[in-house]
Amino acid sequence: RVNPLVRAGTDALLVPAARRAHRVITATEVARAEIVEELGLPPGKIAIIPHGAHPPPTGLRDVAGVRARLDAGERPIVLAVGTNVEHKNHAALLAGIAALDPGERPLLVIAGHGTDELAPRAAELGVDARLLGGVSDEELEDLYAAATVYATATRHEGFGLPVIEAMGRGLPVVASDLPVLREVAGELGWYFTDPAGLADTLRTLLAGGDEVERRRRLGLAAAQRFTWAATAERTLAAYEAALSTITKTRFV
């Protein structure tokens, strides 16, 4: 939960700055619509520049070693990444796993600061989960390599960078049915609205098949478009547009 004082301070600084700015940058059409609605900015003032995602490292990962450290046994691994804050809604992932019969449950692994605090809820639901807390970049790459499916139950995002990271590492993605995540992952993702829907979708993904492989393969290719070089180029163009506006204003 965001500290109310932090939120008040952010609003006091950022809202006037956005209204004074010659250009505002955001990552998605959905986020632009929210900014227009909340701040009353003209849509043309807001540049949409998707985030980039680091490509996976070259070389093989020690997947067997990662699985052994997680004590995964023969189970598939469902990975989630994100700090344990309210809108990330990690508890819904636990509920979705709990909705599966015990014999068909994958191992749920959640990486992110504060996720160890979910242990009491996991125990209450009888879900065997690895709640890792914060992890290093190297550890995160190991988890992506060992995972079978990437999952997120987030209630709100401006973009959803881990979704692109997971797709770029060849993982099927199951996500809460949010317009912003549909904008980013499109028809290559799988979507759910409640824990029962998550359980049903996980059954489909873990069973595999032609459609799962098709989306996985196309997602891998689609994620390659999200590069930091492209983000930098479009950001530079936004700055140039802002400078052009300033110049015209001064000399008109």
Side-chain angles (χ1 to χ4, degrees), residues 38-55:
E38 295 293 328
L39 302 186
L41 301 185
K45 182 178 178 177
I46 304 170
I48 300 172
I49 304 176
H51 298 318
H54 291 295

Side-chain angles (χ1 to χ4, degrees), residues 121-136:
R121 182 57 178 159
E124 180 183 348
L125 292 171
V127 172
D128 184 23
R130 304 291 178 265
L131 308 170
L132 303 181
V135 299
S136 69

Side-chain angles (χ1 to χ4, degrees), residues 48-177:
I48 300 172
I49 304 176
H51 298 318
H54 291 295
T58 58
L60 299 176
R61 315 298 293 188
D62 181 14
V63 172
V66 177
R67 291 183 61 84
R69 290 196 297 274
L70 294 171
D71 192 22
E74 298 300 316
R75 290 173 291 177
I77 294 172
V78 174
L79 174 66
V81 177
T83 301
N84 185 32
V85 290
E86 186 175 0
H87 76 274
K88 293 296 185 183
N89 199 25
H90 290 320
L93 299 178
L94 293 169
I97 299 296
L100 294 166
D101 292 335
E104 61 178 345
R105 291 177 186 171
L107 178 64
L108 177 63
V109 177
I110 309 180
H113 293 289
T115 52
D116 51 314
E117 297 170 5
L118 293 163
R121 182 57 178 159
E124 180 183 348
L125 292 171
V127 172
D128 184 23
R130 304 291 178 265
L131 308 170
L132 303 181
V135 299
S136 69
D137 290 346
E138 280 296 303
E139 290 169 326
L140 181 57
E141 291 297 344
D142 283 343
L143 294 173
Y144 277 131
T148 311
V149 172
Y150 182 83
T152 176
T154 184
R155 295 191 181 100
H156 186 270
E157 294 294 332
F159 183 74
L161 184 56
V163 167
I164 295 300
E165 287 185 343
M167 290 170 59
R169 284 147 181 81
L171 293 178
V173 170
V174 55
S176 44
D177 196 359

